[in-house]
């Protein structure tokens, strides 16, 4: 098709496909009566490929991961009603982790859309999807005028990528897709810059607070990645010599063994990281919303002796709804703040006592203990993740799932290489990683994709193994098999004295033979039964030429160690230390 022909009248769905081809290489879809035209138009183009899912949830999760790995726009097309409802899982993942995405929800023809709000439904599978998703999209709209297609697509893409990113949704009636239109008659969206301005006095105040502090820490959040300011941050850390604490979203930016990296902190993290946070006197928080998984359930007990600077592009994050008092609130792009500090005269007098304390605590409380290696009958999860990190390569992409395997990854995996580690951190649905691995593999074709998932989560999107097979994607799946919902069991142990309900075979949860199921999809399997098998089987799995599932057998009683006791300050983790030892780890003021 020549450009001259494309400028002439065409079917609206062809125009949409043309527009999308400028922003992405793939569209992830379901099928259905109200999207057959847009799917057909995308399918006919050579510069964009339609990826049908086995379930629309899989399409939405794949699109989320595609954006994270490629930097291009994740696009999802689903039919009205049940099709789009299935895709809401990925939409929520993108919204709560600030990932740009564009969703098209098919709708009945204009004449079958209800006008009376009290009428439940007029058209077949009719739902007011643009209204339903308002609380977890940046913008949602129903197109009722064919001349506004370009306007709404351009508006959605602008909003999805600017400010605090997130997904947008267009509800698209079936007959609108079939109408004739052209580029010339399309309304054009004119974007307006709404980026907040960094106030100069806030920089002056920040510098003063940093220079007066003895035990400062930078807390590195996802906002740093969103702003693509990693190199400037590296310059700032080197310039100041100030230690830093990466949140899970930023873990893969830094080497675990860097002396100035204090490790992860929070409810499910490292004991040493939590002690260090609690000993600080200043936290400079860059693009992290400091949710309860980081600060604990009692905000007053989090870093009680530390002043706190919070830098965030979203003004709502500065309103202290989490209960944490912020001493200096700065509403701006993290990039502007970091660049300003780099351009200013900023000298923090290095405190050797602070450095020594960090080193002492990291040495004193290792996550992977020597005794774990002596476990004989089954695999120890901490040993598994420690060993896995020895065999992965530069540029590998590691995608853990939800629940215990997620925590074990972020606790025990050693970051030593240039790798990407991500998952849906804030929405955190079970079943994310296998479906997401498809989008990651398409978005980063030259990288090894490693999905890590629990056996309980595997059932959520196991159907996407068929897509992995049919697309010939060499994805490596490590299934952490503890015969049920291990993290739920640990929660029940804490609150309900181990009275399990619906979380293992004895309490009513039935799980299949995953190796048989996986092989039925035409995918190879291997299993790891104990610590002695780890090196050989991990190496075999990672070097296998096609897709493969590795079944990692754990004792069903394995727990996350350590973790914060509910209601406690984050340095009081289970298993509990005696008060004398806790006191010895705290710097006396």
């Amino acid at each position: 098709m020549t450009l001259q022909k494309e400028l002439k009248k065409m079917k609206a769905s062809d125009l949409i496909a043309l527009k999308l081809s400028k922003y992405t290489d793939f569209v992830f879809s379901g099928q259905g009566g109200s999207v057959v035209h847009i799917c057909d138009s995308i399918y006919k183009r050579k510069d964009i490929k339609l990826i049908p899912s086995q379930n629309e949830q899989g399409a939405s999760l794949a699109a989320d991961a595609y954006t994270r790995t490629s930097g291009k726009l994740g696009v999802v097309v689903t039919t009205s009603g049940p099709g789009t409802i299935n895709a809401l899982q990925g939409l929520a993942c993108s919204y709560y982790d600030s990932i740009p995405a564009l969703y098209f929800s098919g709708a009945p023809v204009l004449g079958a859309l209800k006008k009376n709000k009290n009428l439940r439904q007029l058209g077949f599978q009719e739902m007011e999807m643009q209204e339903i998703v308002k609380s977890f999209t940046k913008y949602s709209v129903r197109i009722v005028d064919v001349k506004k297609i370009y306007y709404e697509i351009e508006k959605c893409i602008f909003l999805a990528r600017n400010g605090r990113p997130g997904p947008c949704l267009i509800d698209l009636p079936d007959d609108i897709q079939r109408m004739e239109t052209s580029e010339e008659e399309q309304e054009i969206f004119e974007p307006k810059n709404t980026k907040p301005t960094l106030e100069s006095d806030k920089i002056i105040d920040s510098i003063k607070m940093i220079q007066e502090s003895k035990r400062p820490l930078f807390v590195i959040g996802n906002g740093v990645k969103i702003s693509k300011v990693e190199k400037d941050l590296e310059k700032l850390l080197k310039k100041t010599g100030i230690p830093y604490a990466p949140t899970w979203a930023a873990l893969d930016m830094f080497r675990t063994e860097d002396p100035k990296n204090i490790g992860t902190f929070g409810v499910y993290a490292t004991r040493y990281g939590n002690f260090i946070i609690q000993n600080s006197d200043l936290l400079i928080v860059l693009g992290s919303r400091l949710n309860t998984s980081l600060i604990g359930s009692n905000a007053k007990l989090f870093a009680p002796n530390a002043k706190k600077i919070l830098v965030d592009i979203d003004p709502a994050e500065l309103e202290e709804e989490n209960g944490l008092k912020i001493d200096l609130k700065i509403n701006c792009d993290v990039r502007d703040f970091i660049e300003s500090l780099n351009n200013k005269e900023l000298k923090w007098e290095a405190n050797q006592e602070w450095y020594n304390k960090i080193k002492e605590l990291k040495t004193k409380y290792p996550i992977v203990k020597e005794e774990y290696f002596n476990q004989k009958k089954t695999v120890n999860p901490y040993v598994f993740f420690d060993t896995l990190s020895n065999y992965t390569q530069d540029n590998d992409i590691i995608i853990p799932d939800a629940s215990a395997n997620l925590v074990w990854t972020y606790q025990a995996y050693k970051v030593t290489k240039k790798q990407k580690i991500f998952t849906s951190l804030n929405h955190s649905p079970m079943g994310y990683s296998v479906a997401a691995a498809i989008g990651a593999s398409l978005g980063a074709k030259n990288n090894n994709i490693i999905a890590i998932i629990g056996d309980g989560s595997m059932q959520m999107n196991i159907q996407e193994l068929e897509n992995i097979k049919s697309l010939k994607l060499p994805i490596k799946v490590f299934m952490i098999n503890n015969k049920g919902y291990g993290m739920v069991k640990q929660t029940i142990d804490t609150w309900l004295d181990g009275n399990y309900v619906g979380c293992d075979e004895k309490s009513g949860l039935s799980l299949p033979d995953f190796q048989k199921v996986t092989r039925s999809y035409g995918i190879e399997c291997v299993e790891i039964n104990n610590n002695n098998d780890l090196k050989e089987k991990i190496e075999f799995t990672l070097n296998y030429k096609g897709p493969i599932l590795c079944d990692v057998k754990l004792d069903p009683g394995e727990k996350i160690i350590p973790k914060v006791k509910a209601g406690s300050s984050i340095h009081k983790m289970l298993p509990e230390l005696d008060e004398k030892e806790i006191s010895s780890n705290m710097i006396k003021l």
Side-chain angles (χ1 to χ4, degrees):
M1 185 181 290
T2 66
L3 181 61
Q4 184 177 4
K5 287 182 179 179
E6 286 184 343
L7 292 175
K8 294 180 180 179
K9 283 278 187 178
M10 65 178 80
K11 192 164 72 168
S13 61
D14 291 338
L15 189 74
I16 293 169
L18 168 65
K19 189 70 171 176
L20 294 179
S21 70
K22 313 300 181 188
Y23 294 98
T24 189
D25 296 325
F26 298 96
V27 171
F28 301 89
S29 75
Q31 252 296 7
S34 65
V35 289
V36 292
H37 293 280
I38 187 171
C39 287
D40 176 70
S41 294
I42 293 167
Y43 188 77
K44 289 187 297 189
R45 295 193 67 88
K46 291 187 178 1
D47 52 3
I48 190 170
K49 185 173 181 180
L50 191 75
I51 306 294
S53 63
Q54 302 295 314
N55 180 293
E56 291 90 351
Q57 181 179 144
S60 68
L61 300 177
D64 176 87
Y66 174 75
T67 300
R68 296 181 196 241
T69 54
S70 71
K72 295 187 177 182
L73 188 68
V75 178
V76 179
V77 172
T78 55
T79 196
S80 60
T84 305
I85 286 290
N86 284 343
L88 297 190
Q89 196 74 281
L91 184 74
C93 290
S94 295
Y95 182 73
Y96 293 113
D97 278 4
S98 304
I99 304 299
L102 177 58
Y103 280 65
F104 288 91
S105 171
V109 297
L110 291 170
L113 297 176
K114 65 180 184 179
K115 298 174 179 60
N116 180 356
K117 294 293 182 181
N118 294 321
L119 186 66
R120 290 194 179 184
Q121 193 179 57
L122 182 61
F124 176 64
Q125 294 183 331
E126 180 191 7
M127 293 184 75
E128 292 187 278
M129 200 55 64
Q130 79 283 5
E131 297 293 330
I132 290 170
V133 302
K134 276 187 175 179
S135 69
F136 56 105
T137 52
K138 286 194 71 178
Y139 175 70
S140 61
V141 65
R142 172 178 283 167
I143 294 179
V144 295
D145 180 353
V146 72
K147 295 179 181 179
K148 298 204 73 169
I149 287 175
Y150 264 22
Y151 178 91
E152 295 297 355
I153 290 177
E154 288 168 354
K155 182 175 181 178
C156 283
I157 292 172
F158 174 78
L159 292 174
R161 287 178 164 175
N162 286 273
R164 185 176 183 177
C168 296
L169 180 141
I170 293 174
D171 200 45
L172 196 61
D174 176 67
D175 53 345
I176 290 283
Q177 299 173 48
R178 294 183 267 121
M179 291 179 184
E180 290 287 304
T181 186
S182 67
E183 286 192 304
E184 291 90 340
E185 70 179 14
Q186 290 294 311
E187 291 185 34
I188 302 301
F189 172 72
E190 298 291 342
K192 295 180 181 178
N193 183 19
T194 57
K195 182 178 174 181
T197 303
L198 174 59
E199 300 171 35
S200 59
D201 61 324
K202 296 290 180 75
I203 284 291
I204 295 170
D205 291 343
S206 298
I207 291 173
K208 182 180 179 183
M209 292 170 72
I210 290 170
Q211 293 183 160
E212 289 177 352
S213 67
K214 300 295 182 185
R215 301 180 303 282
L217 291 171
F218 281 107
V219 174
I220 315 300
N222 192 41
V224 172
K225 280 189 174 180
I226 291 171
S227 294
K228 296 180 174 60
V229 73
E230 293 95 328
K231 288 185 178 179
D232 286 323
L233 174 64
E234 184 180 349
K235 179 181 176 182
L236 179 61
L237 294 175
K238 185 176 181 180
K239 172 183 176 178
T240 62
I242 293 174
Y244 59 89
T247 63
W248 283 0
L251 184 77
D252 56 358
M253 290 172 54
F254 308 99
R255 290 185 303 109
T256 300
E257 299 305 318
D258 182 353
K260 291 187 175 66
N261 182 351
I262 75 153
T264 59
F265 67 96
V267 175
Y268 300 102
T270 62
R271 200 183 289 273
Y272 58 82
N274 284 357
F275 272 123
I276 295 165
I277 285 282
Q278 295 296 85
N279 276 308
S280 64
D281 66 359
L282 175 67
L283 298 180
I284 310 109
V285 184
L286 305 177
S288 170
R289 65 189 187 88
L290 294 179
N291 61 24
T292 54
S293 65
L294 290 174
I295 68 175
S297 56
N298 188 339
K300 293 180 180 178
L301 301 177
F302 176 75
N305 299 312
K307 292 182 178 179
K308 299 167 185 75
I309 301 171
L310 178 57
V311 184
D312 206 292
I313 198 168
D314 186 348
E317 296 294 353
L318 304 173
E319 294 179 0
E320 301 183 359
E321 281 201 36
N322 61 358
L324 187 67
K325 182 181 181 300
I326 303 300
D327 299 276
L328 180 59
K329 303 174 183 180
I330 304 178
N331 179 213
C332 73
D333 190 324
V334 168
R335 170 183 290 277
D336 295 339
F337 180 79
I338 292 173
E339 287 179 348
S340 291
L341 287 186
N342 277 331
N343 293 330
K344 298 288 185 181
E345 187 70 25
L346 170 59
K347 291 184 179 179
W348 175 68
E349 187 174 342
N351 180 356
Q352 193 59 47
E353 180 188 2
W354 186 219
Y355 291 153
N356 291 343
K357 191 66 175 179
I358 291 170
K359 181 179 179 180
E360 172 198 330
L361 289 166
K362 289 179 73 172
T363 303
K364 191 174 182 180
Y365 298 108
I367 281 290
V368 185
K369 298 181 180 180
E370 288 297 325
E371 64 201 62
Y372 296 165
F373 290 86
N374 299 326
Q375 192 167 310
K376 300 295 183 186
K377 292 183 178 180
T378 52
V379 176
N380 179 281
Y382 289 95
V383 175
F384 169 77
F385 284 103
D386 180 78
T387 306
L388 178 65
S389 62
N390 294 334
Y391 286 90
T392 52
Q393 304 295 320
D394 276 351
N395 300 315
D396 285 359
I397 297 174
I398 297 104
I399 311 174
D401 205 78
S403 301
N405 76 85
L406 169 66
V407 178
W408 288 324
T409 302
Y410 283 105
Q411 282 183 323
Y413 187 90
K414 301 188 300 286
V415 181
T416 59
K417 311 170 184 80
K418 294 179 181 177
Q419 298 175 336
K420 183 183 285 289
I421 305 172
F422 71 86
T423 188
S424 171
L425 287 170
N426 292 301
H427 186 55
S428 198
M430 295 171 67
Y432 175 84
S433 66
V434 168
I438 295 170
S441 189
L442 295 171
K445 293 181 179 179
N446 297 322
N447 301 68
N448 296 320
I449 310 299
I450 300 164
I452 302 167
I453 192 166
D455 57 324
S457 293
M458 190 69 193
Q459 281 288 78
M460 302 293 177
N461 279 301
I462 198 167
Q463 74 284 340
E464 297 307 316
L465 289 177
E466 179 61 28
N467 265 13
I468 291 174
K469 187 275 300 287
S470 67
L471 293 168
K472 297 181 175 60
L473 303 176
I475 293 165
K476 319 306 178 191
V477 179
F478 287 95
M479 187 181 71
I480 310 303
N481 191 341
N482 55 7
K483 298 184 179 180
Y485 300 159
M487 195 171 184
V488 173
K489 288 166 67 177
Q490 188 167 348
T491 302
I492 290 174
D493 287 340
T494 301
W495 291 98
L496 299 167
D497 298 322
N499 184 27
Y500 300 147
V501 177
C503 55
D504 61 7
E505 187 175 5
K506 289 182 179 178
S507 64
L509 176 68
S510 178
L511 295 172
D513 183 327
F514 286 102
Q515 292 188 41
K516 286 183 179 179
V517 175
T518 301
R519 286 195 173 98
S520 76
Y521 281 106
I523 293 176
E524 186 56 75
C525 290
V526 65
E527 69 179 46
I528 303 178
N529 291 298
N530 52 57
N531 288 344
N532 292 331
D533 287 346
L534 282 172
K535 295 178 181 179
E536 177 187 353
K537 298 293 180 63
I538 287 175
E539 197 166 20
F540 176 82
T541 301
L542 294 176
N543 291 329
Y544 190 77
K545 295 304 180 184
I548 186 171
L549 180 138
C550 182
D551 189 356
V552 184
K553 305 288 190 179
L554 267 58
D555 185 309
E558 290 286 4
K559 288 182 167 53
I560 295 165
I561 302 173
K563 71 176 290 290
V564 172
K565 184 179 180 180
S568 299
S569 57
I570 64 169
H571 65 284
K572 293 191 175 180
M573 305 185 82
L574 300 172
E576 290 184 272
L577 305 177
D578 62 48
E579 287 299 326
K580 184 177 180 181
E581 182 173 352
I582 290 174
S583 179
S584 71
N585 293 320
M586 305 303 290
I587 294 174
K588 305 299 185 291
L589 299 178

